[in-house]
Amino acid sequence: MKEGRVGLVVRAASTGCRHHFRKMSSIVEKVGKQHPRIAVCQLTSSADKEENFSVCRSLIEKAKSQGVQMVFLPECFDYIGESIKQSLEQSESLDGHLVSKYKGIAKELQIWLSLGGFHQKNTDQFVKNTHIIINSDGHVVTTYEKIHMFDADIKGLRLHESDYTTPGKCIKPPVVTPVGKVGLGICYDLRFPELALILARQGAELLTYPSAFMEPTGIAHWESLLRSRAIESQCYVIAAAQVGRHNKKRSSYGHAMVIDPWGTVIAECSKGIGLCTAEINMDLLHDVRLEMPVWHHRRNDLYNQIYSFSTENTTVDEQETYKFGHIDIPSSQVFLNTPFSFAFVNIKPVLPGHVLICPKPVVSSFSEVSDEHTSDLWCTARKVGDVVKKHFNGTSLTFAIQDGLEAGQSVKHVHVHVIPRFAGDFSENDDIYRKLQEKPVQGKTLKLKTTEEMEAEARVLRTYFT
């Protein structure tokens, strides 16, 4: 069958931006329905941090006056240095003066901010390229450190980000905002579709790529890449941008834009400093995913499953308890929380360091665990195994799943036992499996860990995942 859709695209000029409006044939807009609005900014940052801040504040205030709930600023919104030395010297920590001022704006105007590409102080020789999300209470709700370093020599211009920037080590799960679930990237990350697909699998509805694209690559690839990411992920794509000449050595392409899940550019900045606004229509997103159900058509039997994994434990305490079958595990006993799994200390360890890992859905049989949850579960088990082996001075590891009653499963929730092994820990190696199935007998009780012991162990293990 041929792909096709009846549609209408109208382009109209407006101050500082172009808006492209599209109409999908099967969508009937509900009269009077309000959709959240975003603003996407375009800057020409220089090395003058105060001047850049003044421009950004003006744009944020303008966006607020237009009824916007969230504002997106581009990479290097803080400054673009004229040398590596200057870029390093002007960097700040997340607790520094500049981020504090943006927290104040967010709280004052009751607006969410996406600060793309902040020069976060790391060492004397390196910074981190950090994307910061601040909520309307003025709190940082998440940060993401750029994972792909732009190292290229294009038409005589050499830009090697890795010379002074430390790459991030993980993909952050999408953050819930008033405009939808936002997945975070930065600039060069745009060229890697794997990141977009992983974030979409984690529930992202909007992908954001604050950028400072060079003119040669911008002319050739900018819009094509953004539209591709929107089409394949079926997410809104939001791309704030730098534009124009920053100094004698560097200039940027501009064309900040918003693209809907069908791949249509619905708002775009023209030349110069400014902003464009767009509505985020979740009805449209859901219809696109329903009418073009690519996520149900993937042939993971023929090519590798794209999975997600995060080593961050910053969200362990996002909920008070975690479900382990019929048991509520307090977050104080959980030491790692990934998008699809969690790891916690064991009340009845057979050896020191014996911990458990569960998929988040409560399923009793391993055959019920989805492909993406299976990938996350075993990637988590590998990481946790490395940590407990190191921390408890083990020499080997045992990974075990008791899948069903006859296999010794006592809690009807799939879980992986990760157990450090030691020389001479059992006279016969397979005795460990009999020990796993051990039940209390008359006149004898099993030694269980106290709540205090479990919480103390979880606190120590958490430190390995920060």
Side-chain angles (χ1 to χ4, degrees):
M1 176 181 280
K2 240 182 171 179
E3 291 185 22
R5 173 176 285 284
V6 177
L8 174 67
V9 178
V10 179
R11 301 193 177 195
S14 64
T15 304
C17 65
R18 287 187 295 155
H19 291 274
H20 306 183
F21 302 96
R22 66 177 304 279
K23 179 181 178 183
M24 293 179 65
S25 60
S26 63
I27 293 177
V28 178
E29 290 288 342
K30 297 180 177 67
V31 176
K33 182 170 183 179
Q34 296 294 311
H35 300 295
R37 294 183 64 81
I38 63 168
V40 183
C41 298
Q42 188 162 274
L43 305 175
T44 306
S45 292
S46 68
D48 188 333
K49 294 170 69 173
E50 287 302 319
E51 176 62 24
N52 297 334
F53 174 76
S54 177
V55 172
C56 289
R57 181 181 180 97
S58 176
L59 290 173
I60 294 168
E61 289 173 343
K62 181 178 180 180
K64 177 65 178 181
S65 71
Q66 296 180 18
V68 162
Q69 283 82 49
M70 189 166 185
V71 178
F72 294 80
L73 297 178
E75 184 180 33
C76 303
F77 70 94
D78 49 355
Y79 63 89
I80 291 181
E82 296 184 9
S83 66
I84 291 177
K85 182 175 182 292
Q86 187 178 47
S87 294
L88 292 169
E89 288 174 347
Q90 294 195 169
S91 64
E92 297 184 22
S93 71
L94 291 175
D95 297 323
H97 180 61
L98 186 61
V99 174
S100 294
K101 291 202 293 184
Y102 279 101
K103 289 179 180 178
I105 294 173
K107 186 174 182 179
E108 174 191 341
L109 299 181
Q110 286 294 287
I111 198 166
W112 282 61
L113 300 177
S114 162
L115 308 180
F118 170 71
H119 293 83
Q120 182 185 349
K121 194 171 189 64
N122 187 21
T123 69
D124 290 340
Q125 301 299 319
F126 289 90
V127 297
K128 296 177 181 179
N129 192 342
T130 303
H131 191 156
I132 307 168
I133 302 294
I134 299 175
N135 67 16
S136 56
D137 293 325
H139 300 306
V140 173
V141 293
T142 193
T143 61
Y144 160 77
E145 296 162 11
K146 186 179 181 182
I147 59 176
H148 298 106
M149 297 290 97
F150 181 67
D151 290 357
D153 297 88
I154 300 174
K155 296 187 177 181
L157 180 61
R158 181 185 188 273
L159 278 176
H160 278 225
E161 194 172 13
S162 62
D163 287 347
Y164 62 97
T165 306
T166 303
K169 296 181 179 179
C170 71
I171 298 167
K172 284 298 187 71
V175 59
V176 177
T177 76
V179 301
K181 296 176 183 176
V182 178
L184 306 183
I186 300 174
C187 199
Y188 190 50
D189 290 334
L190 174 61
R191 292 186 179 272
F192 300 88
E194 298 89 346
L195 175 60
L197 294 175
I198 286 170
L199 290 170
R201 275 198 173 275
Q202 291 181 345
E205 296 161 328
L206 303 86
L207 302 176
T208 180
Y209 296 99
S211 297
F213 253 56
M214 299 164 58
E215 289 193 34
T217 55
I219 292 169
H221 301 147
W222 175 245
E223 184 172 328
S224 297
L225 286 168
L226 291 169
R227 294 183 68 191
S228 294
R229 296 299 83 85
I231 293 166
E232 67 203 7
S233 68
Q234 298 181 320
C235 292
Y236 280 90
V237 169
I238 304 164
Q242 292 284 347
V243 67
R245 183 157 291 280
H246 309 287
N247 52 52
K248 293 179 180 179
K249 299 178 182 178
R250 186 169 174 184
S251 60
S252 296
Y253 177 64
H255 294 270
M257 63 178 66
V258 182
I259 300 167
D260 73 17
W262 188 248
T264 301
V265 179
I266 58 172
E268 179 181 356
C269 287
S270 58
K271 294 180 179 179
I273 296 170
L275 61 81
C276 59
T277 64
E279 289 188 347
I280 302 302
N281 184 344
M282 288 303 170
D283 293 334
L284 169 64
L285 181 143
H286 296 147
D287 284 347
V288 167
R289 294 182 177 183
L290 180 65
E291 294 183 8
M292 187 65 73
V294 294
W295 291 101
H296 299 292
H297 297 160
R298 295 191 181 279
R299 290 296 304 275
N300 293 314
D301 57 324
L302 299 180
Y303 46 77
N304 289 336
Q305 173 79 27
I306 292 178
Y307 62 85
S308 57
F309 178 76
S310 169
T311 59
E312 293 295 309
N313 74 331
T314 54
T315 57
V316 167
D317 295 318
E318 68 182 8
Q319 55 195 73
E320 292 184 3
T321 61
Y322 290 74
K323 272 294 185 185
F324 176 41
H326 62 285
I327 303 168
D328 288 328
I329 303 295
S331 62
S332 58
Q333 296 172 18
V334 176
F335 59 87
L336 180 61
N337 177 28
T338 80
F340 301 126
S341 311
F342 65 98
F344 58 103
V345 296
N346 192 355
I347 194 172
K348 190 186 72 173
V350 301
L351 288 171
H354 175 189
V355 297
L356 303 176
I357 304 167
C358 284
K360 288 181 177 176
V362 178
V363 292
S364 59
S365 172
F366 190 57
S367 64
E368 298 176 71
V369 183
S370 70
D371 289 345
E372 60 189 338
H373 288 104
T374 298
S375 294
D376 189 83
L377 182 69
W378 283 110
C379 284
T380 304
R382 182 186 64 196
K383 296 284 185 180
V384 168
D386 289 343
V387 164
V388 295
K389 181 181 174 183
K390 175 182 178 181
H391 181 74
F392 291 95
N393 298 314
T395 56
S396 301
L397 287 167
T398 289
F399 296 88
I401 291 181
Q402 296 163 295
D403 194 29
L405 181 63
E406 288 72 28
Q409 185 184 49
S410 57
V411 177
K412 292 183 178 181
H413 187 169
V414 170
H415 52 284
V416 179
H417 295 264
V418 183
I419 311 170
R421 300 299 301 273
F422 311 89
D425 51 16
F426 289 97
S427 56
E428 295 291 335
N429 190 56
D430 283 353
D431 286 348
I432 191 168
Y433 301 109
R434 285 183 279 276
K435 189 73 173 176
L436 281 173
Q437 298 182 61
E438 190 174 39
K439 303 277 193 307
V441 295
Q442 189 173 3
K444 182 181 178 182
T445 58
L446 297 176
K447 179 174 173 56
L448 303 179
K449 280 192 170 185
T450 66
T451 298
E452 291 76 15
E453 288 172 331
M454 290 190 289
E455 290 178 349
E457 183 174 314
R459 282 196 299 271
V460 172
L461 293 178
R462 283 190 190 192
T463 64
Y464 286 93
F465 299 97
T466 56

